[in-house]
Amino acid sequence: MDRLAAEAEMMPRVDAIWRAPLFQHELARIAVFERGRRFCHHDLAHLLDVARLSWIRILEEGVSIPCDLVYAVALLHDIGRAEQYETGEPHDVAGERIATEILAALPGQACFNEDEQRRIRSAVRAHRSHAVQDPLARVIAWADKASRPCFACPAASDCNWSLEKRNLNVRI
């Protein structure tokens, strides 16, 4: 098994994010706010779609970013959604704060180092901007949009995204 395959197969630090009580709490809060919503849920399926599309793009571009860093950002990029629904605080701002708490609480062997934590927080904060230069944040921003099948959405008439923001093509 080559290095990339081995790296993608075992990601204990990403598993630790998934198991983190605060992550689970915030994901459950998002589900409550999005209950009955007809479009664009910010659930595990979306987070994993963003992770997988991002990883594909990283491999295609030949960018050197560890797989678990890509998945960590993908899992955390929308974690501030409940705060946005509840208080109006932009979810990227709230997400950076919540991601900081989650990362700080990870157990010893699952910890990301300071530089990795900075990169994760920065990408969570920047994922809504398509003009960002950081390759990790840029790929997450692209995958966040590419993961949405707006072109086939039955709730398109209810969507508040402008046509410019929507993914109107079948693509990855």
Side-chain angles (χ1 to χ4, degrees), residues 99-148:
T100 299
E101 290 179 52
I102 291 168
L103 293 170
L106 295 178
Q109 75 281 5
C111 287
F112 290 86
N113 68 39
E114 286 300 317
D115 183 57
E116 291 169 325
Q117 289 185 41
R118 180 195 54 74
R119 289 186 75 189
I120 293 167
R121 289 190 311 266
S122 176
V124 166
R125 172 65 180 211
H127 85 272
R128 295 177 72 192
S129 171
H130 294 277
V132 69
Q133 297 300 312
D134 175 65
L136 181 55
R138 179 183 49 77
V139 167
I140 295 291
W142 169 83
D144 195 23
K145 179 178 177 181
S147 71
R148 300 296 188 182

